[in-house]
Amino acid sequence: MWPTDPENGLSPKNTMGIDVYNPPPLHWTGLLVLAYQSCGVVYGDLSTSPLYVYKGTFSGSLHRFLGEEAVVFGVFSVVFWTVTLIPLLKYVFIVLSADDNGEGGTFALYSLLVRHAKFSLMPNQQAADEELSAYYRPGYSTEDTPMLRALRSFLERHRMSRTCLLVMVLFGASLVIGDGVLTPAMSVLSSFSGLQVHSSALTHVEVVLLSCAVLVGLFTLQHWGTRRVAFLFAPVVVLWLLLLAALGVYNIVVWNPRIVRALSPYYVVSFFQRTGKEGWISLGGVLLSMTGTEAMYADLGHFTAASIRVAFVGLIYPCLVLQYMGQAAFLSKSPNCNIHFIFFESIPRLIFWPVLVIATLAAIVGSQAVISATFSIVRQCTALGCFPRVKIVHTSNRIHGQIYSPEINWILMLVCLGVTVGFRDTTLIGHAYGMACAGVMVVTTLLMALVMVFVWQQGFLLAAMFLLAFGSVESVYLSAALIKVPQGGWLPLALSLVIVAVMYVWHYGTRRRHMFDVQNKVSLKWLHALGPSLGIVRVPGIGLIYSELATGVPAIFSHFVTNLPAFHQVLVFVCVKAVPIPHVRCYERHLIGRIGPREFRMYRCVVRHGYKDVPGDDNDFENDLVVRIAEFVHMEAACSSADAAPPRESDASVEGRMAVVSRPFDLSRTGLLMRAPLPNPEDSTVVRAATAATAATSTADSSKTETMQSLQTMYEAESPGFAIRRRIRFEIDDATSESMDPAVKEELSALVEAKHAGVAYIMGHSYIKARKSSSLLKKLAIDVAYTFLRKNCRGPAVALNIPHISLIEVGMIYYV
């Protein structure tokens, strides 16, 4: 199971093996190692920008100014100050500080706002969630100034403002997902276009076909994961960056050393004075110098902010500046060169082919990093209820952050190939690429301003200054990118609209379904009036009733017992929900409570996951739940005898108190024992630890029909792990039973007996329908779009890893 219990001395690791809960202080050598590794994962995309920046800048009407040295100097000056202001000043020194428990990206900013400013539209949020140790930022004060309190109240009262914020976040996430299409197409096609510089026989169509073949291979190898080749990423990118710096110095010395003067902002002013509107439009090409910048923040969870800063300031920034300066020096003395191959023409012929090979490898590394980031973003969107459930495969048993989604991978590949074949020109793809880059940066700036006000509590003046300083610059770039919408810039907008529509429809349908569950909950007073038998036949076994309700009894329960008036002697209402933090510590994950009096044998279990955790990754949930319920029974009895509240208690209600219950390392605390199998089943011994065990088949199994036994045997043959877990046998510990409270012993005996009889999973299989009185738009969203998505995504039982041999689905129609 991941994460592993801290009681066992283990904690979950991110993709670089860093403890995501308690990152150790780094020595300077460790910091340098992390900085070196970050070059391959974080900066692969940004480091390939010199392949196409000047091409994109001079490809339009600015081409007529190529012969003017002052204009070339001005373009470099604009590129230099752009890289200095946005990637260096904004991201490295400011945005990287807005981490969400070590995680970065658009959803990290949104998560901070949801927790600290109550902007959430997510259902199932409880006051107990605020007791999680990672919920609030360290040093955060709940006391607001009058102005901040008024603004917070306004935003909380007006649902439309929260909806707009969510749509903005989804739009930013969709643009990053769009990068997963554009980056491979742009990088690979740009690197292979260099073949035409010294191979005139090679046609452009052949270059496109060769690029497509590499892209197909890149996406096909995704299911193997990056761990087998990840050790090559950093050396390739570092070698590529050093080559860029060396080539830049060579071109500066050989062609035009006076290019150093263009570091002055004077050349920026003179550039726009000379070029006017053409200079403004050319900013769409300059914008490409920032592609991949968002990855610095999005990949923050893989490394540390300090290591990313050291890598950028110490290596990335100077190497890129030298390369851009060298290309400008070459271009100022070679106005007749082919601007489409400016990077490759500036390479000395003697080392052309080695540089081309390394450029191609760097392009592939940059594409791989963006594709992996896309998988991660989709997983985050799914956890927050904003994307249909897709298959997530862990490609590494040791490193949890390396994941792969087959459905997303093949969709990305098809769209990427369509873009490569359809556009066939890096200039047009560059227009689309720049549009996506500008859009993400503007979204990040807006969210950062809100974080400064609500999370950092720095006041409106600082947030306004940040918004004015960076928002104005990025708005100018965005306006230049919008001019090129008819020339390829429409692509990321179209992709984003489709992705946002899918996300919002899924979120809307999920939220409406939850609202229906809340409004149609079974009355607890009615349930209590039925008595311990609930007015039905209580059969042996444990029934796990899955619902999205964190409180109350779901409608599927009454629907089931109405049609089949029998249920298990022990009922547990299970709610698996996401909370807006990256990771939930294992010992804080489970909330256990009681529904009704003790003799009802009804419990509630709320399983909380962060947006970077994986629900259903618990391979021993049944036995783990039995142990936690036993621990809760003891806690409740101890608190009742001491007339005190349970430790770390959540909000109490009429269905009883709920408490955070961690699985005890010493099982004897619960008064239970488990049998662990030895190679010879007859020699099994009793152990006092929370480990799996097998025993002889219980007497309840003998009452099963031959058909059921045959089906179970077949399933156990396919899933041997399930067979071992299912045959675990609990016993009351005789050593502690004499001092145990009689009521507690009776309850534990009933729990053990029910576990031996078997565990059944009951899950609602709901169909969402719009009411007849609903508007046409709502009918299209619910009856067509949401229904289509729900039928073509993974079912909740599969996502939660529920064994189908024990699954009972209860069909219901929800009219929302």
Short mmCIF file of all heavy atoms in Angstrom, two decimals, residues 747-789:
data_model
loop_
_atom_site.label_atom_id
_atom_site.label_comp_id
_atom_site.label_asym_id
_atom_site.label_seq_id
_atom_site.Cartn_x
_atom_site.Cartn_y
_atom_site.Cartn_z
N GLU A 747 -19.07 -6.59 20.80
CA GLU A 747 -19.04 -5.91 19.50
C GLU A 747 -17.90 -6.43 18.63
O GLU A 747 -18.07 -6.64 17.42
CB GLU A 747 -18.91 -4.40 19.71
CG GLU A 747 -19.06 -3.61 18.42
CD GLU A 747 -19.20 -2.12 18.69
OE1 GLU A 747 -19.09 -1.70 19.85
OE2 GLU A 747 -19.43 -1.37 17.70
N LEU A 748 -16.75 -6.66 19.23
CA LEU A 748 -15.63 -7.19 18.47
C LEU A 748 -15.90 -8.61 18.00
O LEU A 748 -15.52 -8.99 16.89
CB LEU A 748 -14.36 -7.14 19.32
CG LEU A 748 -13.80 -5.76 19.66
CD1 LEU A 748 -12.50 -5.89 20.46
CD2 LEU A 748 -13.55 -4.94 18.41
N SER A 749 -16.56 -9.39 18.83
CA SER A 749 -16.91 -10.76 18.44
C SER A 749 -17.85 -10.75 17.23
O SER A 749 -17.70 -11.55 16.30
CB SER A 749 -17.56 -11.50 19.61
OG SER A 749 -16.67 -11.59 20.71
N ALA A 750 -18.82 -9.83 17.25
CA ALA A 750 -19.74 -9.72 16.11
C ALA A 750 -18.99 -9.27 14.86
O ALA A 750 -19.27 -9.75 13.75
CB ALA A 750 -20.86 -8.72 16.45
N LEU A 751 -18.02 -8.37 15.03
CA LEU A 751 -17.24 -7.90 13.89
C LEU A 751 -16.39 -9.02 13.30
O LEU A 751 -16.34 -9.20 12.07
CB LEU A 751 -16.34 -6.74 14.35
CG LEU A 751 -15.48 -6.06 13.29
CD1 LEU A 751 -16.33 -5.38 12.24
CD2 LEU A 751 -14.52 -5.05 13.94
N VAL A 752 -15.75 -9.82 14.15
CA VAL A 752 -14.93 -10.94 13.69
C VAL A 752 -15.79 -11.99 13.00
O VAL A 752 -15.43 -12.51 11.93
CB VAL A 752 -14.15 -11.55 14.87
CG1 VAL A 752 -13.52 -12.88 14.48
CG2 VAL A 752 -13.10 -10.58 15.38
N GLU A 753 -16.94 -12.28 13.60
CA GLU A 753 -17.84 -13.27 12.99
C GLU A 753 -18.31 -12.81 11.62
O GLU A 753 -18.38 -13.61 10.67
CB GLU A 753 -19.04 -13.48 13.93
CG GLU A 753 -20.05 -14.48 13.39
CD GLU A 753 -21.28 -14.59 14.29
OE1 GLU A 753 -21.24 -14.02 15.40
OE2 GLU A 753 -22.26 -15.23 13.86
N ALA A 754 -18.64 -11.53 11.51
CA ALA A 754 -19.09 -11.01 10.22
C ALA A 754 -17.97 -11.06 9.18
O ALA A 754 -18.22 -11.37 8.01
CB ALA A 754 -19.59 -9.58 10.40
N LYS A 755 -16.75 -10.78 9.60
CA LYS A 755 -15.63 -10.82 8.66
C LYS A 755 -15.41 -12.23 8.14
O LYS A 755 -15.14 -12.45 6.94
CB LYS A 755 -14.35 -10.31 9.35
CG LYS A 755 -13.07 -10.45 8.53
CD LYS A 755 -13.15 -9.66 7.24
CE LYS A 755 -11.84 -9.74 6.47
NZ LYS A 755 -11.55 -11.08 5.95
N HIS A 756 -15.54 -13.22 8.99
CA HIS A 756 -15.35 -14.59 8.55
C HIS A 756 -16.45 -15.03 7.58
O HIS A 756 -16.22 -15.86 6.72
CB HIS A 756 -15.32 -15.52 9.76
CG HIS A 756 -14.11 -15.32 10.61
ND1 HIS A 756 -13.97 -15.89 11.87
CD2 HIS A 756 -12.98 -14.61 10.41
CE1 HIS A 756 -12.81 -15.52 12.38
NE2 HIS A 756 -12.19 -14.76 11.52
N ALA A 757 -17.64 -14.46 7.74
CA ALA A 757 -18.75 -14.82 6.85
C ALA A 757 -18.57 -14.25 5.45
O ALA A 757 -19.14 -14.76 4.49
CB ALA A 757 -20.07 -14.34 7.45
N GLY A 758 -17.77 -13.18 5.33
CA GLY A 758 -17.52 -12.62 4.01
C GLY A 758 -17.82 -11.13 3.96
O GLY A 758 -18.53 -10.59 4.79
N VAL A 759 -17.24 -10.49 2.97
CA VAL A 759 -17.41 -9.04 2.77
C VAL A 759 -18.00 -8.80 1.40
O VAL A 759 -17.54 -9.38 0.40
CB VAL A 759 -16.06 -8.30 2.91
CG1 VAL A 759 -16.24 -6.80 2.68
CG2 VAL A 759 -15.43 -8.57 4.28
N ALA A 760 -19.04 -7.98 1.35
CA ALA A 760 -19.67 -7.62 0.09
C ALA A 760 -19.56 -6.11 -0.11
O ALA A 760 -19.64 -5.33 0.84
CB ALA A 760 -21.14 -8.03 0.08
N TYR A 761 -19.33 -5.70 -1.35
CA TYR A 761 -19.22 -4.29 -1.71
C TYR A 761 -20.50 -3.87 -2.43
O TYR A 761 -20.84 -4.44 -3.48
CB TYR A 761 -18.02 -4.04 -2.61
CG TYR A 761 -16.69 -4.33 -1.98
CD1 TYR A 761 -16.21 -5.64 -1.84
CD2 TYR A 761 -15.88 -3.30 -1.52
CE1 TYR A 761 -14.99 -5.90 -1.26
CE2 TYR A 761 -14.65 -3.55 -0.94
CZ TYR A 761 -14.21 -4.85 -0.82
OH TYR A 761 -12.99 -5.11 -0.25
N ILE A 762 -21.20 -2.89 -1.89
CA ILE A 762 -22.44 -2.41 -2.49
C ILE A 762 -22.21 -1.01 -3.01
O ILE A 762 -21.76 -0.13 -2.27
CB ILE A 762 -23.61 -2.42 -1.48
CG1 ILE A 762 -23.90 -3.84 -1.00
CG2 ILE A 762 -24.86 -1.83 -2.10
CD1 ILE A 762 -23.18 -4.24 0.26
N MET A 763 -22.46 -0.81 -4.28
CA MET A 763 -22.17 0.47 -4.90
C MET A 763 -23.34 0.87 -5.79
O MET A 763 -23.94 0.05 -6.49
CB MET A 763 -20.88 0.37 -5.72
CG MET A 763 -20.48 1.66 -6.43
SD MET A 763 -18.81 1.54 -7.11
CE MET A 763 -17.84 1.58 -5.61
N GLY A 764 -23.67 2.16 -5.74
CA GLY A 764 -24.75 2.66 -6.58
C GLY A 764 -24.32 2.79 -8.04
O GLY A 764 -23.23 3.26 -8.33
N HIS A 765 -25.17 2.34 -8.93
CA HIS A 765 -24.94 2.49 -10.37
C HIS A 765 -26.02 3.45 -10.88
O HIS A 765 -27.07 3.04 -11.36
CB HIS A 765 -25.03 1.13 -11.07
CG HIS A 765 -24.57 1.17 -12.49
ND1 HIS A 765 -23.24 1.16 -12.85
CD2 HIS A 765 -25.27 1.22 -13.65
CE1 HIS A 765 -23.14 1.20 -14.16
NE2 HIS A 765 -24.36 1.24 -14.67
N SER A 766 -25.74 4.73 -10.73
CA SER A 766 -26.77 5.73 -10.98
C SER A 766 -26.75 6.22 -12.42
O SER A 766 -25.70 6.32 -13.05
CB SER A 766 -26.59 6.92 -10.03
OG SER A 766 -25.29 7.44 -10.14
N TYR A 767 -27.92 6.53 -12.92
CA TYR A 767 -28.09 7.14 -14.22
C TYR A 767 -28.64 8.55 -14.02
O TYR A 767 -29.66 8.73 -13.37
CB TYR A 767 -29.05 6.33 -15.09
CG TYR A 767 -28.56 4.93 -15.39
CD1 TYR A 767 -28.85 3.86 -14.54
CD2 TYR A 767 -27.80 4.67 -16.52
CE1 TYR A 767 -28.39 2.58 -14.80
CE2 TYR A 767 -27.34 3.39 -16.80
CZ TYR A 767 -27.65 2.35 -15.94
OH TYR A 767 -27.19 1.09 -16.20
N ILE A 768 -27.93 9.53 -14.55
CA ILE A 768 -28.31 10.93 -14.35
C ILE A 768 -29.18 11.38 -15.51
O ILE A 768 -28.82 11.22 -16.68
CB ILE A 768 -27.07 11.83 -14.25
CG1 ILE A 768 -26.08 11.24 -13.26
CG2 ILE A 768 -27.46 13.24 -13.84
CD1 ILE A 768 -26.58 11.15 -11.86
N LYS A 769 -30.35 11.92 -15.18
CA LYS A 769 -31.27 12.44 -16.19
C LYS A 769 -31.66 13.86 -15.80
O LYS A 769 -31.87 14.16 -14.62
CB LYS A 769 -32.52 11.57 -16.29
CG LYS A 769 -32.28 10.13 -16.72
CD LYS A 769 -32.00 10.03 -18.20
CE LYS A 769 -31.90 8.58 -18.64
NZ LYS A 769 -31.59 8.46 -20.08
N ALA A 770 -31.77 14.72 -16.79
CA ALA A 770 -32.27 16.07 -16.54
C ALA A 770 -33.79 16.04 -16.44
O ALA A 770 -34.47 15.27 -17.13
CB ALA A 770 -31.83 17.01 -17.65
N ARG A 771 -34.32 16.85 -15.53
CA ARG A 771 -35.78 16.93 -15.40
C ARG A 771 -36.41 17.44 -16.69
O ARG A 771 -35.78 18.16 -17.48
CB ARG A 771 -36.15 17.86 -14.25
CG ARG A 771 -35.76 17.33 -12.87
CD ARG A 771 -36.41 18.17 -11.80
NE ARG A 771 -36.07 17.71 -10.46
CZ ARG A 771 -35.09 18.21 -9.72
NH1 ARG A 771 -34.36 19.21 -10.21
NH2 ARG A 771 -34.83 17.73 -8.52
N LYS A 772 -37.67 17.09 -16.90
CA LYS A 772 -38.35 17.53 -18.11
C LYS A 772 -38.46 19.04 -18.19
O LYS A 772 -38.53 19.62 -19.27
CB LYS A 772 -39.74 16.89 -18.17
CG LYS A 772 -39.72 15.37 -18.37
CD LYS A 772 -41.12 14.80 -18.49
CE LYS A 772 -41.08 13.30 -18.71
NZ LYS A 772 -42.43 12.71 -18.84
N SER A 773 -38.51 19.68 -17.04
CA SER A 773 -38.63 21.15 -17.01
C SER A 773 -37.29 21.85 -17.20
O SER A 773 -37.24 23.09 -17.22
CB SER A 773 -39.24 21.59 -15.68
OG SER A 773 -38.45 21.15 -14.59
N SER A 774 -36.20 21.09 -17.35
CA SER A 774 -34.87 21.70 -17.48
C SER A 774 -34.73 22.40 -18.83
O SER A 774 -35.43 22.09 -19.80
CB SER A 774 -33.79 20.63 -17.34
OG SER A 774 -33.87 19.98 -16.09
N SER A 775 -33.78 23.33 -18.87
CA SER A 775 -33.51 24.05 -20.11
C SER A 775 -32.84 23.12 -21.12
O SER A 775 -32.32 22.05 -20.77
CB SER A 775 -32.60 25.24 -19.84
OG SER A 775 -31.33 24.81 -19.35
N LEU A 776 -32.85 23.54 -22.39
CA LEU A 776 -32.24 22.73 -23.44
C LEU A 776 -30.74 22.56 -23.20
O LEU A 776 -30.21 21.46 -23.43
CB LEU A 776 -32.49 23.39 -24.80
CG LEU A 776 -31.87 22.68 -26.01
CD1 LEU A 776 -32.45 21.28 -26.16
CD2 LEU A 776 -32.09 23.50 -27.28
N LEU A 777 -30.08 23.61 -22.74
CA LEU A 777 -28.65 23.53 -22.49
C LEU A 777 -28.34 22.50 -21.40
O LEU A 777 -27.39 21.72 -21.52
CB LEU A 777 -28.11 24.90 -22.09
CG LEU A 777 -26.59 25.00 -21.88
CD1 LEU A 777 -25.85 24.64 -23.16
CD2 LEU A 777 -26.20 26.39 -21.39
N LYS A 778 -29.14 22.49 -20.34
CA LYS A 778 -28.92 21.53 -19.26
C LYS A 778 -29.19 20.11 -19.74
O LYS A 778 -28.46 19.17 -19.37
CB LYS A 778 -29.83 21.87 -18.08
CG LYS A 778 -29.63 20.95 -16.88
CD LYS A 778 -30.49 21.37 -15.71
CE LYS A 778 -30.29 20.44 -14.52
NZ LYS A 778 -31.13 20.84 -13.36
N LYS A 779 -30.21 19.92 -20.57
CA LYS A 779 -30.50 18.58 -21.10
C LYS A 779 -29.34 18.09 -21.96
O LYS A 779 -28.96 16.90 -21.91
CB LYS A 779 -31.79 18.60 -21.90
CG LYS A 779 -33.04 18.77 -21.04
CD LYS A 779 -34.30 18.77 -21.90
CE LYS A 779 -35.55 18.90 -21.03
NZ LYS A 779 -36.79 18.94 -21.83
N LEU A 780 -28.76 18.99 -22.77
CA LEU A 780 -27.63 18.59 -23.60
C LEU A 780 -26.42 18.24 -22.73
O LEU A 780 -25.72 17.25 -22.99
CB LEU A 780 -27.26 19.72 -24.57
CG LEU A 780 -28.23 19.97 -25.72
CD1 LEU A 780 -27.80 21.21 -26.51
CD2 LEU A 780 -28.30 18.76 -26.65
N ALA A 781 -26.21 19.02 -21.67
CA ALA A 781 -25.06 18.79 -20.80
C ALA A 781 -25.19 17.48 -20.04
O ALA A 781 -24.22 16.70 -19.93
CB ALA A 781 -24.88 19.96 -19.83
N ILE A 782 -26.40 17.21 -19.49
CA ILE A 782 -26.59 16.03 -18.63
C ILE A 782 -26.92 14.79 -19.46
O ILE A 782 -26.27 13.74 -19.33
CB ILE A 782 -27.70 16.29 -17.60
CG1 ILE A 782 -27.30 17.42 -16.65
CG2 ILE A 782 -28.01 15.02 -16.82
CD1 ILE A 782 -26.09 17.11 -15.79
N ASP A 783 -27.94 14.88 -20.31
CA ASP A 783 -28.44 13.70 -21.03
C ASP A 783 -27.53 13.25 -22.16
O ASP A 783 -27.56 12.08 -22.55
CB ASP A 783 -29.85 13.98 -21.58
CG ASP A 783 -30.87 14.21 -20.49
OD1 ASP A 783 -30.58 13.84 -19.34
OD2 ASP A 783 -31.95 14.78 -20.77
N VAL A 784 -26.77 14.17 -22.73
CA VAL A 784 -25.92 13.81 -23.87
C VAL A 784 -24.45 13.77 -23.47
O VAL A 784 -23.82 12.72 -23.49
CB VAL A 784 -26.14 14.80 -25.04
CG1 VAL A 784 -25.24 14.41 -26.22
CG2 VAL A 784 -27.60 14.82 -25.47
N ALA A 785 -23.90 14.94 -23.09
CA ALA A 785 -22.46 15.03 -22.86
C ALA A 785 -22.02 14.21 -21.63
O ALA A 785 -21.13 13.37 -21.72
CB ALA A 785 -22.05 16.50 -22.70
N TYR A 786 -22.66 14.45 -20.48
CA TYR A 786 -22.24 13.75 -19.26
C TYR A 786 -22.50 12.25 -19.38
O TYR A 786 -21.66 11.44 -18.96
CB TYR A 786 -22.99 14.32 -18.06
CG TYR A 786 -22.58 13.67 -16.75
CD1 TYR A 786 -21.40 14.03 -16.10
CD2 TYR A 786 -23.38 12.69 -16.16
CE1 TYR A 786 -21.02 13.43 -14.91
CE2 TYR A 786 -23.00 12.08 -14.97
CZ TYR A 786 -21.83 12.46 -14.35
OH TYR A 786 -21.45 11.86 -13.18
N THR A 787 -23.63 11.86 -19.95
CA THR A 787 -23.93 10.44 -20.12
C THR A 787 -22.91 9.77 -21.02
O THR A 787 -22.45 8.64 -20.75
CB THR A 787 -25.34 10.27 -20.71
OG1 THR A 787 -26.30 10.88 -19.84
CG2 THR A 787 -25.68 8.80 -20.88
N PHE A 788 -22.52 10.45 -22.10
CA PHE A 788 -21.50 9.90 -23.01
C PHE A 788 -20.17 9.71 -22.27
O PHE A 788 -19.53 8.66 -22.39
CB PHE A 788 -21.32 10.82 -24.21
CG PHE A 788 -20.18 10.41 -25.12
CD1 PHE A 788 -20.35 9.39 -26.04
CD2 PHE A 788 -18.95 11.05 -25.02
CE1 PHE A 788 -19.29 9.01 -26.86
CE2 PHE A 788 -17.89 10.67 -25.84
CZ PHE A 788 -18.06 9.65 -26.76
N LEU A 789 -19.76 10.73 -21.52
CA LEU A 789 -18.50 10.63 -20.80
C LEU A 789 -18.54 9.52 -19.76
O LEU A 789 -17.57 8.77 -19.59
CB LEU A 789 -18.18 11.98 -20.13
CG LEU A 789 -17.86 13.15 -21.05
CD1 LEU A 789 -17.71 14.43 -20.25
CD2 LEU A 789 -16.59 12.88 -21.86
#
